[in-house]
């Protein structure tokens, strides 16, 4: 399989309210740099793709992005248009017969598709893609789906010869990580079947359910059927709580939920209305080590009080 390792940098509107919408299509960001590395037959192809793109709408580059990427407005004024760069990117991909796009994170392909649609270039040409992050965290046994590119480079023992937050440099680092990742093709199949939240950028890692209760005591509301129904949002399997919901702060409860494959955190928050009744929100998110430790500490303290 031939992998197109893709990374991009982009400019953003000054605020969410200023995001451009036209014909029912949004332009969340404008891509200002594309970097791509081809991995073919287990080796990095010498010819790489790296180009700046002149933005049309989000021409003011935020200071944070300037500091991260080193890209400024003066440099981008000399760059080519998105359409022309896109033609050269497609030609480069066709030259090497790239089968699938590999990215570090979920945003790159989502933003590429959004920009192609907005400017009327279509997105049908974009190959299938996968996010390398969860394959790597699974291999090095980190109990979370996302780590930074620099952390992955360090943990996998790769020499840090280039700076980060340059599209071509980040694509090159990602390609090196890809070459150090075991059973990639099997990992892609696993990701698509199980961890669809990472394979599909439009799926959220946070699932929220809302409701209202006539109870004036949250303890009673916790026993309601809506709050006792648990299904893993990642794979759709029935899930169970490791223990009861515990109080972490006023009107806020926490539990750790497990299905056959995933560990998730459950937060239930109650808000009291003027009439003394409660509105509740149940949120299910991926559980990190700190949240699980907090939950275990609360359970231990609760058991100590009961037994004491």
């Amino acid at each position: 399989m031939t992998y197109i390792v893709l990374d991009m940098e982009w400019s953003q509107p000054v605020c969410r309210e200023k995001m451009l919408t036209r014909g029912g299509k949004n332009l969340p960001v404008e891509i200002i740099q594309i970097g791509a590395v081809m991995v073919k037959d287990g080796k990095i192809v010498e010819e790489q793709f790296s180009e700046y793109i002149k933005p049309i709408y989000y021409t003011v580059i935020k200071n944070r992005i300037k500091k991260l990427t080193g890209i400024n407005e003066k440099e981008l004024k000399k760059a080519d248009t998105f359409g022309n760069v896109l033609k050269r990117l497609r030609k480069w991909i066709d030259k090497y017969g790239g089968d699938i796009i590999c990215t570090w994170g979920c945003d790159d392909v989502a933003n590429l598709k959004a920009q192609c649609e907005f400017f009327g270039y279509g997105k049908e040409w974009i190959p299938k893609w996968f996010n390398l992050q969860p394959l790597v965290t699974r291999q090095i046994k980190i109990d979370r789906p996302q780590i930074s590119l620099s952390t992955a480079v360090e943990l996998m023992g790769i020499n840090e010869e280039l700076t980060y937050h340059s599209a071509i440099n980040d694509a090159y680092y990602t390609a090196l990580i890809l070459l150090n990742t075991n059973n990639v093709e099997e990992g892609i199949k696993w990701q698509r079947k199980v961890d669809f939240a990472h394979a599909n950028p439009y799926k959220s890692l946070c699932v929220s359910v809302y409701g209202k209760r006539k109870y004036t005591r949250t303890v009673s509301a916790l026993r309601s059927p809506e709050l006792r129904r648990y299904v893993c949002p990642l794979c759709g399997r029935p899930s169970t709580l490791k223990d009861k919901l515990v109080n972490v702060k006023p009107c806020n409860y926490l539990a750790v939920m497990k299905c056959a494959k995933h560990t998730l955190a459950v937060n239930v928050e109650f808000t009291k209305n003027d009439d003394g009744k409660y509105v509740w929100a149940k949120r299910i998110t991926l559980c990190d080590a700190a949240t699980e430790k907090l939950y275990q500490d609360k359970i231990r303290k609760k058991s100590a009080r009961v037994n004491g």
Side-chain angles (χ1 to χ4, degrees):
M1 186 176 288
T2 303
Y3 300 94
I4 309 149
V5 185
L6 186 68
D7 192 87
M8 290 179 286
E9 304 296 338
W10 45 72
S11 61
Q12 300 171 321
V14 292
C15 62
R16 184 177 291 273
E17 289 73 21
K18 297 289 184 180
M19 183 173 69
L20 192 62
T21 300
R22 188 171 65 193
K25 298 173 183 177
N26 296 327
L27 185 66
V29 300
E30 266 194 283
I31 300 165
I32 56 175
Q33 186 187 22
I34 295 179
V37 173
M38 196 74 69
V39 175
K40 190 178 181 71
D41 300 325
K43 296 179 182 178
I44 294 176
V45 173
E46 186 174 347
E47 183 186 359
Q48 300 171 4
F49 186 92
S50 178
E51 289 206 35
Y52 290 115
I53 298 171
K54 182 179 180 180
I56 297 174
Y57 298 105
Y58 307 147
T59 55
V60 177
I61 310 301
K62 292 182 178 180
N63 288 331
R64 178 179 61 83
I65 296 173
K66 286 180 184 177
K67 289 178 182 178
L68 278 175
T69 66
I71 301 171
N72 56 57
E73 291 92 344
K74 186 177 179 180
E75 197 167 27
L76 293 177
K77 282 182 180 179
K78 299 178 288 184
D80 207 344
T81 63
F82 175 68
N84 289 336
V85 173
L86 195 65
K87 287 178 185 176
R88 292 193 284 273
L89 174 65
R90 294 181 64 175
K91 187 176 179 181
W92 179 80
I93 291 173
D94 291 341
K95 179 179 179 180
Y96 293 100
D99 299 307
I100 188 168
I101 292 175
C102 168
T103 62
W104 189 261
C106 292
D107 295 330
D108 296 272
V109 174
N111 286 329
L112 177 61
K113 287 181 177 180
Q115 189 156 329
C116 284
E117 283 191 313
F118 186 88
F119 288 110
Y121 294 112
K123 59 182 182 180
E124 298 76 15
W125 65 272
I126 300 174
K128 292 182 180 179
W129 71 281
F130 73 99
N131 176 11
L132 185 59
Q133 278 182 326
L135 274 67
V136 172
T137 57
R138 188 177 184 224
Q139 177 174 312
I140 59 182
K141 301 186 186 306
I142 293 181
D143 192 22
R144 62 181 187 272
Q146 295 174 312
I147 57 173
S148 69
L149 183 63
S150 59
T151 299
V153 167
E154 181 182 355
L155 291 175
M156 299 194 88
I158 295 169
N159 291 332
E160 297 184 72
E161 300 174 350
L162 305 168
T163 58
Y164 292 96
H165 303 295
S166 157
I168 187 59
N169 291 356
D170 287 359
Y172 184 73
Y173 276 131
T174 304
L176 292 176
I177 294 170
L178 176 66
L179 291 172
N180 283 274
T181 304
N182 301 329
N183 304 317
V184 174
E185 291 189 35
E186 288 301 314
I188 295 170
K189 292 177 184 176
W190 161 79
Q191 184 185 121
R192 286 178 175 164
K193 286 181 179 178
V194 179
D195 219 351
F196 64 83
H198 302 295
N200 185 343
Y202 301 105
K203 293 287 185 183
S204 173
L205 291 176
C206 177
V207 177
S208 299
V209 181
Y210 304 91
K212 296 180 181 180
R213 302 303 300 176
K214 295 182 180 179
Y215 304 116
T216 55
R217 295 180 64 232
T218 55
V219 174
S220 301
L222 285 171
R223 301 192 188 105
S224 62
E226 300 98 323
L227 287 172
R228 296 177 68 181
R229 190 179 300 117
Y230 298 100
V231 175
C232 176
L234 294 181
C235 61
R237 295 170 182 265
S239 303
T240 56
L241 299 186
K242 290 184 69 176
D243 211 310
K244 295 179 179 180
L245 285 153
V246 295
N247 186 243
V248 289
K249 59 184 179 181
C251 294
N252 193 295
Y253 293 80
L254 171 69
V256 172
M257 180 176 98
K258 284 202 171 187
C259 71
K261 294 183 177 290
H262 301 102
T263 301
L264 303 113
V266 180
N267 282 95
V268 179
E269 185 175 3
F270 292 89
T271 304
K272 195 173 183 179
N273 290 336
D274 294 336
D275 58 3
K277 297 174 185 177
Y278 286 91
V279 176
W280 57 264
K282 179 174 71 173
R283 294 181 177 87
I284 299 174
T285 59
L286 287 171
C287 186
D288 55 24
T291 302
E292 190 155 15
K293 184 179 183 302
L294 172 64
Y295 180 66
Q296 290 170 351
D297 289 344
K298 291 288 183 180
I299 288 291
R300 279 196 293 269
K301 288 178 182 178
K302 185 177 180 180
S303 298
R305 286 197 300 270
V306 172
N307 296 329

